[in-house]
Amino acid sequence: MKKYIEVYNHYKDLITSGQYKKGDKMPSVRQSTALLSVSKTTVENAYFELQADGYIIAQPQSGYYVSYSAPSRNEEAPQAKKETPILFDLKSGDADSESFDINLWQRYIKSALRQKERMLSYSDAEGEADLREALSVYIREKRNVVASPDRIIVGAGVQALLSILCVLLKERRTVSFPTANFVQGISTFESFGYEVHTRDKNADIIYVSPSHMTSYGDVMPIQRRLELAKHSKDNNSMIIEDDFDSDFLYQSKPMPSLFALSDCDNVVYMGSFSNVLVPGIRISFMVLPGELAAQFYNMKQCFAQTASKTEQIALCGYIRDGHIAAQTRKIRRHYTAKARFMYNEIKNQMPEVKASLSENGLAIKLTADYNGTAVAFEKSGVSVFIYGIENGKINMALVPSAVENSRIPGAVGKIKEILNYD
């Protein structure tokens, strides 16, 4: 095959696949000569052929431009199934527009960006020092988790931190999760070669979310926490305590963390700000036991910081100025009031169903007569947690945090329609 034909096919494929779009400027002859390691004549001949076949057009004293419109994905695959848009999101736990003062957060972001010298360097693998100092005070006051800043590791979300733990805990080979629903955590451990189980007390690593054991928002009682702490000590197992939703204990008194209850060095405490602030701010942290912390610093060069340095600096100021405590109180009132509003709306529109507020006050448990399928909810644009449909009954959980208050009656009405309640 002649060389110019290879160049022709190279650019033709890029154009027809949509990598180069109509109106895009092609590389100059000189650029293509350097990029593809061919002669100027070869490129010119290829461009002449592309122009003759209608793929590009020459503009005098400007260069070559793409003149071909690649088919859109929809045109290429008209048979592709169209997903029903979600009208009422009662599953994701996303935030609503009233839950967070974005303008205040923007001021802290702008303040962080003014620290020009800090912006010129990468963040430490363990996170910004001043943020870890602020976190050390924050978790001691909030959860009685006493840890020096050098034992706190910051990352962009729990999954990023779990990847670090998978490396640090490589001598342990089995891990247990409460349910199979934590897909991201399970896939992370599996990708590192761990054997994953559910509800296996004999596993080397036990992953728990005591303040959010299920999507219903169930909370682990104090006796069970004490038993788990003792079991892990007696069997030399490692506990990963994901303290997700501990700020939202609405129906019951706040429970002490497993980290605080344990008298041995075998609990990794994990926290996140996605549910306190908004999901778009991805900053999580973990507290490592002394031995694991030393191991982390010995191989620190193997890890890279995944959280935005700008957001870390902003969060540090936000915490130190007392806004995190005020924000926690605000969203606790806001979201628990919203869940209660939906609960009352359910009792008003469907008094026959069995409904109750979850222990953390964020979700509604609902049991109703139903002979349909889960697909009916999907087709109606209603996203909910469905735990089972059997014997003419459906069990589900509704988390209304992402739905505006004004739309909650409509959401309940749509569920009533799907359940076929008159």
Side-chain angles (χ1 to χ4, degrees):
M1 181 184 295
K2 293 182 178 180
K3 200 68 178 178
Y4 83 90
I5 296 296
E6 294 180 10
V7 176
Y8 169 90
N9 287 332
H10 170 74
Y11 282 120
K12 177 185 174 182
D13 289 343
L14 290 175
I15 293 169
T16 56
S17 65
Q19 302 303 304
Y20 282 155
K21 295 180 173 58
K22 186 175 181 179
D24 285 352
K25 187 175 182 179
M26 295 287 290
S28 69
V29 172
R30 180 178 293 180
Q31 287 173 325
S32 288
T33 297
L35 287 170
L36 303 176
S37 299
V38 295
S39 69
K40 177 182 177 183
T41 302
T42 297
V43 175
E44 288 176 339
N45 288 337
Y47 277 17
F48 290 153
E49 290 295 327
L50 288 166
Q51 186 175 5
D53 290 344
Y55 292 110
I56 64 175
I57 188 172
Q59 296 287 350
Q61 299 180 342
S62 179
Y64 292 92
Y65 292 81
V66 177
S67 57
Y68 175 84
S69 296
S72 68
R73 291 185 179 274
N74 290 336
E75 291 172 344
E76 291 175 351
Q79 74 281 4
K81 182 181 176 181
K82 291 184 178 180
E83 294 185 1
T84 303
I86 297 176
L87 301 177
F88 300 105
D89 178 3
L90 299 167
K91 183 177 181 179
S92 73
D94 286 352
D96 69 13
S97 60
E98 299 177 12
S99 65
F100 185 61
D101 187 346
I102 291 291
N103 292 329
L104 176 61
W105 178 251
Q106 286 175 335
R107 291 204 293 271
Y108 280 93
I109 290 291
K110 291 177 181 177
S111 175
L113 291 172
R114 284 195 290 269
Q115 301 183 39
K116 296 178 182 179
E117 290 300 318
R118 292 182 72 175
M119 292 294 102
L120 298 177
S121 61
Y122 291 103
S123 181
D124 291 333
E126 64 271 28
E128 292 298 291
D130 52 356
L131 173 59
R132 289 182 292 109
E133 289 173 4
L135 289 174
S136 179
V137 176
Y138 170 73
I139 58 178
R140 182 177 68 245
E141 294 176 348
K142 174 195 159 201
R143 298 293 286 141
N144 194 29
V145 173
V146 181
S148 57
D150 61 318
R151 290 176 58 184
I152 298 174
I153 310 298
V154 175
V158 169
Q159 192 169 17
L161 296 175
L162 287 181
S163 295
I164 295 175
L165 281 178
C166 285
V167 176
L168 299 179
L169 297 173
K170 60 180 181 293
E171 300 304 321
R172 300 172 183 265
R173 302 314 306 159
T174 59
V175 57
S176 175
F177 286 83
T179 71
N181 292 331
F182 190 16
V183 178
Q184 293 180 346
I186 290 173
S187 64
T188 298
F189 275 96
E190 286 180 337
S191 68
F192 279 87
Y194 285 79
E195 186 179 325
V196 177
H197 303 267
T198 54
R199 303 181 69 83
D200 180 7
K201 66 179 183 179
N202 296 316
D204 299 328
I205 306 166
I206 301 174
Y207 187 101
V208 290
S209 297
S211 300
H212 192 106
M213 293 176 63
T214 68
S215 296
Y216 280 136
D218 293 331
V219 178
M220 183 182 289
I222 183 65
Q223 187 58 39
R224 172 62 182 137
R225 295 179 189 228
L226 291 167
E227 290 172 356
L228 181 56
K230 183 178 185 304
H231 171 83
S232 64
K233 179 181 179 181
D234 294 344
N235 293 273
N236 192 33
S237 55
M238 182 66 68
I239 296 175
I240 300 176
E241 178 184 14
D242 184 347
D243 208 22
F244 181 73
D245 270 359
S246 63
D247 294 302
F248 295 97
L249 296 184
Y250 174 69
Q251 305 283 71
S252 57
K253 293 181 179 180
M255 298 281 185
S257 67
L258 282 165
F259 186 98
L261 291 171
S262 177
D263 60 354
C264 57
D265 211 20
N266 69 328
V267 179
V268 175
Y269 177 88
M270 305 188 81
S272 176
F273 291 95
S274 297
N275 58 335
V276 177
L277 304 178
V278 286
I281 301 173
R282 300 291 294 164
I283 298 182
S284 298
F285 63 92
M286 63 181 173
V287 178
L288 296 178
E291 186 177 332
L292 282 185
Q295 189 178 338
F296 172 88
Y297 284 101
N298 285 337
M299 55 189 311
K300 176 180 171 179
Q301 71 280 359
C302 299
F303 306 111
Q305 179 52 243
T306 53
S308 160
K309 188 172 190 175
T310 306
E311 289 190 347
Q312 290 185 64
I313 296 170
L315 180 59
C316 177
Y318 191 88
I319 293 173
R320 285 180 170 175
D321 290 347
H323 295 299
I324 195 71
Q327 170 66 10
T328 300
R329 292 191 296 269
K330 173 184 175 180
I331 58 169
R332 184 188 294 126
R333 292 192 302 267
H334 180 67
Y335 285 136
T336 53
K338 178 178 283 192
R340 180 163 290 280
F341 175 51
M342 187 169 204
Y343 168 79
N344 290 334
E345 191 65 31
I346 289 171
K347 299 306 292 183
N348 180 50
Q349 292 195 37
M350 296 182 288
E352 309 94 334
V353 307
K354 182 180 178 181
S356 62
L357 285 165
S358 63
E359 287 184 76
N360 65 12
L362 300 178
I364 300 101
K365 304 178 184 180
L366 191 148
T367 302
D369 294 331
Y370 184 59
N371 292 310
T373 65
V375 176
F377 286 85
E378 296 174 13
K379 288 183 175 180
S380 299
V382 180
S383 177
V384 298
F385 287 106
I386 296 178
Y387 292 94
I389 302 175
E390 56 184 353
N391 300 323
K393 295 282 186 182
I394 184 172
N395 291 290
M396 69 176 83
L398 312 173
V399 183
S401 60
V403 180
E404 302 295 337
N405 269 352
S406 61
R407 301 186 70 234
I408 285 179
V412 174
K414 178 59 72 172
I415 293 172
K416 179 181 179 180
E417 177 185 317
I418 298 169
L419 295 177
N420 197 27
Y421 275 82
D422 295 327

PDB file of all heavy atoms in Angstrom, residues 158-179:
ATOM      1  N   VAL A 158     -14.722   7.866  49.579  1.00  0.00           N
ATOM      2  CA  VAL A 158     -14.391   6.640  50.315  1.00  0.00           C
ATOM      3  C   VAL A 158     -13.688   5.628  49.425  1.00  0.00           C
ATOM      4  O   VAL A 158     -12.755   4.937  49.854  1.00  0.00           O
ATOM      5  CB  VAL A 158     -15.672   6.036  50.932  1.00  0.00           C
ATOM      6  CG1 VAL A 158     -15.423   4.635  51.461  1.00  0.00           C
ATOM      7  CG2 VAL A 158     -16.191   6.936  52.056  1.00  0.00           C
ATOM      8  N   GLN A 159     -14.107   5.516  48.166  1.00  0.00           N
ATOM      9  CA  GLN A 159     -13.513   4.504  47.287  1.00  0.00           C
ATOM     10  C   GLN A 159     -12.021   4.742  47.091  1.00  0.00           C
ATOM     11  O   GLN A 159     -11.221   3.790  47.061  1.00  0.00           O
ATOM     12  CB  GLN A 159     -14.227   4.487  45.942  1.00  0.00           C
ATOM     13  CG  GLN A 159     -13.863   3.283  45.079  1.00  0.00           C
ATOM     14  CD  GLN A 159     -14.767   3.146  43.879  1.00  0.00           C
ATOM     15  OE1 GLN A 159     -15.454   4.070  43.486  1.00  0.00           O
ATOM     16  NE2 GLN A 159     -14.764   1.965  43.266  1.00  0.00           N
ATOM     17  N   ALA A 160     -11.609   6.008  46.974  1.00  0.00           N
ATOM     18  CA  ALA A 160     -10.184   6.313  46.821  1.00  0.00           C
ATOM     19  C   ALA A 160      -9.403   5.891  48.063  1.00  0.00           C
ATOM     20  O   ALA A 160      -8.274   5.377  47.966  1.00  0.00           O
ATOM     21  CB  ALA A 160     -10.001   7.808  46.568  1.00  0.00           C
ATOM     22  N   LEU A 161      -9.991   6.082  49.244  1.00  0.00           N
ATOM     23  CA  LEU A 161      -9.325   5.691  50.486  1.00  0.00           C
ATOM     24  C   LEU A 161      -9.277   4.175  50.640  1.00  0.00           C
ATOM     25  O   LEU A 161      -8.299   3.622  51.155  1.00  0.00           O
ATOM     26  CB  LEU A 161     -10.037   6.324  51.675  1.00  0.00           C
ATOM     27  CG  LEU A 161     -10.003   7.860  51.719  1.00  0.00           C
ATOM     28  CD1 LEU A 161     -10.847   8.383  52.872  1.00  0.00           C
ATOM     29  CD2 LEU A 161      -8.565   8.374  51.836  1.00  0.00           C
ATOM     30  N   LEU A 162     -10.322   3.503  50.166  1.00  0.00           N
ATOM     31  CA  LEU A 162     -10.327   2.035  50.235  1.00  0.00           C
ATOM     32  C   LEU A 162      -9.206   1.445  49.380  1.00  0.00           C
ATOM     33  O   LEU A 162      -8.630   0.412  49.722  1.00  0.00           O
ATOM     34  CB  LEU A 162     -11.674   1.480  49.773  1.00  0.00           C
ATOM     35  CG  LEU A 162     -12.852   1.674  50.729  1.00  0.00           C
ATOM     36  CD1 LEU A 162     -14.116   1.056  50.152  1.00  0.00           C
ATOM     37  CD2 LEU A 162     -12.558   1.073  52.102  1.00  0.00           C
ATOM     38  N   SER A 163      -8.891   2.104  48.268  1.00  0.00           N
ATOM     39  CA  SER A 163      -7.797   1.618  47.425  1.00  0.00           C
ATOM     40  C   SER A 163      -6.474   1.654  48.190  1.00  0.00           C
ATOM     41  O   SER A 163      -5.637   0.750  48.044  1.00  0.00           O
ATOM     42  CB  SER A 163      -7.692   2.477  46.153  1.00  0.00           C
ATOM     43  OG  SER A 163      -8.845   2.327  45.346  1.00  0.00           O
ATOM     44  N   ILE A 164      -6.296   2.679  49.003  1.00  0.00           N
ATOM     45  CA  ILE A 164      -5.084   2.759  49.838  1.00  0.00           C
ATOM     46  C   ILE A 164      -5.093   1.635  50.864  1.00  0.00           C
ATOM     47  O   ILE A 164      -4.079   0.954  51.077  1.00  0.00           O
ATOM     48  CB  ILE A 164      -5.001   4.130  50.534  1.00  0.00           C
ATOM     49  CG1 ILE A 164      -4.824   5.242  49.497  1.00  0.00           C
ATOM     50  CG2 ILE A 164      -3.858   4.152  51.548  1.00  0.00           C
ATOM     51  CD1 ILE A 164      -4.856   6.644  50.079  1.00  0.00           C
ATOM     52  N   LEU A 165      -6.243   1.415  51.488  1.00  0.00           N
ATOM     53  CA  LEU A 165      -6.340   0.361  52.501  1.00  0.00           C
ATOM     54  C   LEU A 165      -6.080  -1.020  51.899  1.00  0.00           C
ATOM     55  O   LEU A 165      -5.480  -1.880  52.546  1.00  0.00           O
ATOM     56  CB  LEU A 165      -7.724   0.384  53.153  1.00  0.00           C
ATOM     57  CG  LEU A 165      -7.954   1.453  54.224  1.00  0.00           C
ATOM     58  CD1 LEU A 165      -9.377   1.382  54.746  1.00  0.00           C
ATOM     59  CD2 LEU A 165      -6.956   1.301  55.368  1.00  0.00           C
ATOM     60  N   CYS A 166      -6.528  -1.226  50.670  1.00  0.00           N
ATOM     61  CA  CYS A 166      -6.299  -2.522  50.022  1.00  0.00           C
ATOM     62  C   CYS A 166      -4.810  -2.817  49.902  1.00  0.00           C
ATOM     63  O   CYS A 166      -4.383  -3.973  49.995  1.00  0.00           O
ATOM     64  CB  CYS A 166      -6.944  -2.543  48.628  1.00  0.00           C
ATOM     65  SG  CYS A 166      -8.737  -2.710  48.653  1.00  0.00           S
ATOM     66  N   VAL A 167      -4.012  -1.772  49.718  1.00  0.00           N
ATOM     67  CA  VAL A 167      -2.557  -1.942  49.650  1.00  0.00           C
ATOM     68  C   VAL A 167      -1.980  -2.170  51.046  1.00  0.00           C
ATOM     69  O   VAL A 167      -1.167  -3.075  51.261  1.00  0.00           O
ATOM     70  CB  VAL A 167      -1.900  -0.709  48.995  1.00  0.00           C
ATOM     71  CG1 VAL A 167      -0.380  -0.841  49.015  1.00  0.00           C
ATOM     72  CG2 VAL A 167      -2.396  -0.533  47.564  1.00  0.00           C
ATOM     73  N   LEU A 168      -2.430  -1.379  52.021  1.00  0.00           N
ATOM     74  CA  LEU A 168      -1.887  -1.475  53.375  1.00  0.00           C
ATOM     75  C   LEU A 168      -2.274  -2.782  54.068  1.00  0.00           C
ATOM     76  O   LEU A 168      -1.538  -3.281  54.928  1.00  0.00           O
ATOM     77  CB  LEU A 168      -2.373  -0.292  54.218  1.00  0.00           C
ATOM     78  CG  LEU A 168      -1.969   1.109  53.738  1.00  0.00           C
ATOM     79  CD1 LEU A 168      -2.543   2.167  54.681  1.00  0.00           C
ATOM     80  CD2 LEU A 168      -0.462   1.248  53.632  1.00  0.00           C
ATOM     81  N   LEU A 169      -3.429  -3.328  53.714  1.00  0.00           N
ATOM     82  CA  LEU A 169      -3.937  -4.537  54.379  1.00  0.00           C
ATOM     83  C   LEU A 169      -3.717  -5.792  53.536  1.00  0.00           C
ATOM     84  O   LEU A 169      -4.441  -6.770  53.672  1.00  0.00           O
ATOM     85  CB  LEU A 169      -5.438  -4.381  54.665  1.00  0.00           C
ATOM     86  CG  LEU A 169      -5.825  -3.244  55.616  1.00  0.00           C
ATOM     87  CD1 LEU A 169      -7.348  -3.095  55.676  1.00  0.00           C
ATOM     88  CD2 LEU A 169      -5.269  -3.495  57.013  1.00  0.00           C
ATOM     89  N   LYS A 170      -2.712  -5.766  52.676  1.00  0.00           N
ATOM     90  CA  LYS A 170      -2.535  -6.853  51.697  1.00  0.00           C
ATOM     91  C   LYS A 170      -2.279  -8.217  52.339  1.00  0.00           C
ATOM     92  O   LYS A 170      -2.460  -9.247  51.695  1.00  0.00           O
ATOM     93  CB  LYS A 170      -1.406  -6.517  50.729  1.00  0.00           C
ATOM     94  CG  LYS A 170      -0.044  -6.298  51.350  1.00  0.00           C
ATOM     95  CD  LYS A 170       0.979  -5.972  50.267  1.00  0.00           C
ATOM     96  CE  LYS A 170       2.376  -5.777  50.842  1.00  0.00           C
ATOM     97  NZ  LYS A 170       2.481  -4.581  51.696  1.00  0.00           N
ATOM     98  N   GLU A 171      -1.854  -8.243  53.613  1.00  0.00           N
ATOM     99  CA  GLU A 171      -1.639  -9.526  54.283  1.00  0.00           C
ATOM    100  C   GLU A 171      -2.956 -10.193  54.668  1.00  0.00           C
ATOM    101  O   GLU A 171      -2.999 -11.391  54.946  1.00  0.00           O
ATOM    102  CB  GLU A 171      -0.778  -9.324  55.532  1.00  0.00           C
ATOM    103  CG  GLU A 171       0.605  -8.737  55.256  1.00  0.00           C
ATOM    104  CD  GLU A 171       1.402  -9.566  54.271  1.00  0.00           C
ATOM    105  OE1 GLU A 171       1.331 -10.810  54.350  1.00  0.00           O
ATOM    106  OE2 GLU A 171       2.092  -8.984  53.403  1.00  0.00           O
ATOM    107  N   ARG A 172      -4.025  -9.412  54.700  1.00  0.00           N
ATOM    108  CA  ARG A 172      -5.353  -9.959  55.013  1.00  0.00           C
ATOM    109  C   ARG A 172      -6.070 -10.210  53.692  1.00  0.00           C
ATOM    110  O   ARG A 172      -6.063  -9.344  52.823  1.00  0.00           O
ATOM    111  CB  ARG A 172      -6.140  -8.977  55.883  1.00  0.00           C
ATOM    112  CG  ARG A 172      -5.451  -8.686  57.216  1.00  0.00           C
ATOM    113  CD  ARG A 172      -6.158  -7.565  57.957  1.00  0.00           C
ATOM    114  NE  ARG A 172      -5.480  -7.219  59.195  1.00  0.00           N
ATOM    115  CZ  ARG A 172      -5.803  -7.725  60.393  1.00  0.00           C
ATOM    116  NH1 ARG A 172      -6.813  -8.584  60.495  1.00  0.00           N
ATOM    117  NH2 ARG A 172      -5.150  -7.363  61.471  1.00  0.00           N
ATOM    118  N   ARG A 173      -6.723 -11.342  53.538  1.00  0.00           N
ATOM    119  CA  ARG A 173      -7.212 -11.720  52.212  1.00  0.00           C
ATOM    120  C   ARG A 173      -8.727 -11.809  52.087  1.00  0.00           C
ATOM    121  O   ARG A 173      -9.258 -11.941  50.988  1.00  0.00           O
ATOM    122  CB  ARG A 173      -6.618 -13.079  51.778  1.00  0.00           C
ATOM    123  CG  ARG A 173      -5.110 -13.118  51.729  1.00  0.00           C
ATOM    124  CD  ARG A 173      -4.493 -11.913  51.041  1.00  0.00           C
ATOM    125  NE  ARG A 173      -5.013 -11.657  49.706  1.00  0.00           N
ATOM    126  CZ  ARG A 173      -4.931 -10.482  49.090  1.00  0.00           C
ATOM    127  NH1 ARG A 173      -4.397  -9.446  49.700  1.00  0.00           N
ATOM    128  NH2 ARG A 173      -5.403 -10.334  47.870  1.00  0.00           N
ATOM    129  N   THR A 174      -9.477 -11.760  53.197  1.00  0.00           N
ATOM    130  CA  THR A 174     -10.934 -11.841  53.106  1.00  0.00           C
ATOM    131  C   THR A 174     -11.559 -10.596  53.725  1.00  0.00           C
ATOM    132  O   THR A 174     -11.064 -10.065  54.721  1.00  0.00           O
ATOM    133  CB  THR A 174     -11.484 -13.092  53.815  1.00  0.00           C
ATOM    134  OG1 THR A 174     -11.094 -13.069  55.199  1.00  0.00           O
ATOM    135  CG2 THR A 174     -10.950 -14.364  53.159  1.00  0.00           C
ATOM    136  N   VAL A 175     -12.647 -10.133  53.126  1.00  0.00           N
ATOM    137  CA  VAL A 175     -13.338  -8.944  53.631  1.00  0.00           C
ATOM    138  C   VAL A 175     -14.839  -9.203  53.600  1.00  0.00           C
ATOM    139  O   VAL A 175     -15.353  -9.854  52.687  1.00  0.00           O
ATOM    140  CB  VAL A 175     -12.990  -7.696  52.786  1.00  0.00           C
ATOM    141  CG1 VAL A 175     -13.334  -7.896  51.316  1.00  0.00           C
ATOM    142  CG2 VAL A 175     -13.670  -6.453  53.333  1.00  0.00           C
ATOM    143  N   SER A 176     -15.528  -8.723  54.613  1.00  0.00           N
ATOM    144  CA  SER A 176     -16.973  -8.935  54.723  1.00  0.00           C
ATOM    145  C   SER A 176     -17.707  -7.606  54.714  1.00  0.00           C
ATOM    146  O   SER A 176     -17.302  -6.657  55.386  1.00  0.00           O
ATOM    147  CB  SER A 176     -17.303  -9.691  56.022  1.00  0.00           C
ATOM    148  OG  SER A 176     -18.710  -9.797  56.198  1.00  0.00           O
ATOM    149  N   PHE A 177     -18.791  -7.534  53.928  1.00  0.00           N
ATOM    150  CA  PHE A 177     -19.673  -6.372  53.890  1.00  0.00           C
ATOM    151  C   PHE A 177     -21.040  -6.773  54.455  1.00  0.00           C
ATOM    152  O   PHE A 177     -21.434  -7.937  54.350  1.00  0.00           O
ATOM    153  CB  PHE A 177     -19.836  -5.870  52.456  1.00  0.00           C
ATOM    154  CG  PHE A 177     -18.625  -5.157  51.920  1.00  0.00           C
ATOM    155  CD1 PHE A 177     -17.556  -5.869  51.381  1.00  0.00           C
ATOM    156  CD2 PHE A 177     -18.544  -3.773  51.966  1.00  0.00           C
ATOM    157  CE1 PHE A 177     -16.435  -5.213  50.892  1.00  0.00           C
ATOM    158  CE2 PHE A 177     -17.430  -3.109  51.480  1.00  0.00           C
ATOM    159  CZ  PHE A 177     -16.383  -3.829  50.945  1.00  0.00           C
ATOM    160  N   PRO A 178     -21.786  -5.826  55.027  1.00  0.00           N
ATOM    161  CA  PRO A 178     -23.103  -6.156  55.585  1.00  0.00           C
ATOM    162  C   PRO A 178     -24.066  -6.697  54.534  1.00  0.00           C
ATOM    163  O   PRO A 178     -24.843  -7.597  54.794  1.00  0.00           O
ATOM    164  CB  PRO A 178     -23.599  -4.822  56.164  1.00  0.00           C
ATOM    165  CG  PRO A 178     -22.369  -4.006  56.361  1.00  0.00           C
ATOM    166  CD  PRO A 178     -21.426  -4.412  55.281  1.00  0.00           C
ATOM    167  N   THR A 179     -24.027  -6.104  53.326  1.00  0.00           N
ATOM    168  CA  THR A 179     -24.880  -6.542  52.218  1.00  0.00           C
ATOM    169  C   THR A 179     -24.067  -6.455  50.934  1.00  0.00           C
ATOM    170  O   THR A 179     -22.950  -5.934  50.912  1.00  0.00           O
ATOM    171  CB  THR A 179     -26.140  -5.663  52.074  1.00  0.00           C
ATOM    172  OG1 THR A 179     -25.755  -4.373  51.566  1.00  0.00           O
ATOM    173  CG2 THR A 179     -26.852  -5.493  53.399  1.00  0.00           C
TER     174      THR A 179
END
